[in-house]
Amino acid sequence: MRKTAILTILLSFTVTGLLGQSTIDTALIGSWKLTGYEVKKKAWPVTNTDIISFYSDSVYQVIVSGYIADSLATREAGIWLIDRSENKILYLNRHQIPHPANLTMGDNENKIVEITDSTLVLSGYEGKDLIFMNYIKIPDVSKIEDNYNPTA
């Protein structure tokens, strides 16, 4: 009886933990439009609104909103992962689209400050300044064909 109760409690914690982990991934999938920055408690509007899209196959793409159909305006693409221990999005294999030869971009990360069905707040550093980036959920943006080959 005691073993059964302990196993039931452990199973409950495991299932709850796994469901909680997948919730952030599921909530993040889709397209998000940057609406503004906050630096040192001052709000700054954006001049060029970027859209970041997180896809279920772990690919992300960032584009300029005015040029969705023009692949030359795409800023970057890569792989996204969630670091659950620090509640961060990790951006790996970052590159531009179309992919120019011999261009390498370092990995990057943003802390997830808040995420709801319609809003996303990320934080990161610009030099020594902590910046908060505010996004709103928008209709999904289609993925742009990517010629990046990480083994090349």
Side-chain angles (χ1 to χ4, degrees):
M1 180 72 165
R2 189 174 190 188
K3 287 181 183 177
T4 305
I6 290 171
L7 286 174
T8 303
I9 290 170
L10 288 175
L11 181 62
S12 175
F13 281 128
T14 303
V15 169
T16 303
L18 290 174
L19 289 175
Q21 289 176 354
S22 65
T23 302
I24 290 177
D25 293 19
T26 303
L28 198 57
I29 291 173
S31 296
W32 301 88
K33 179 179 174 181
L34 182 65
T35 59
Y37 297 99
E38 193 175 316
V39 182
K40 297 181 181 178
K41 298 186 181 181
K42 288 186 177 181
W44 301 95
V46 292
T47 52
N48 286 333
T49 303
D50 289 349
I51 295 174
I52 187 166
S53 297
F54 297 96
Y55 301 101
S56 59
D57 61 356
S58 297
V59 169
Y60 80 92
Q61 291 184 341
V62 180
I63 61 173
V64 175
S65 63
Y67 304 99
I68 291 173
D70 183 359
S71 64
L72 295 175
T74 301
R75 296 289 189 222
E76 73 178 64
I79 303 296
W80 67 275
L81 299 170
I82 301 290
D83 177 351
R84 287 171 185 26
S85 66
E86 297 187 34
N87 208 31
K88 290 183 178 180
I89 305 170
L90 306 175
Y91 306 99
L92 311 172
N93 292 339
R94 295 174 59 220
H95 59 277
Q96 291 182 342
I97 298 176
H99 184 254
N102 301 324
L103 178 68
T104 304
M105 298 170 74
D107 294 344
N108 198 6
E109 62 185 36
N110 288 121
K111 184 171 175 90
I112 301 169
V113 177
E114 179 183 343
I115 187 167
T116 68
D117 291 344
S118 59
T119 61
L120 172 65
V121 180
L122 301 177
S123 68
Y125 283 92
E126 184 76 33
K128 294 180 182 179
D129 293 327
L130 180 62
I131 296 176
F132 294 91
M133 297 154 282
N134 301 304
Y135 293 85
I136 58 169
K137 188 87 171 218
I138 62 169
D140 291 346
V141 174
S142 299
K143 197 184 311 181
I144 297 170
E145 186 176 337
D146 187 357
N147 66 346
Y148 178 69
N149 180 358
T151 60

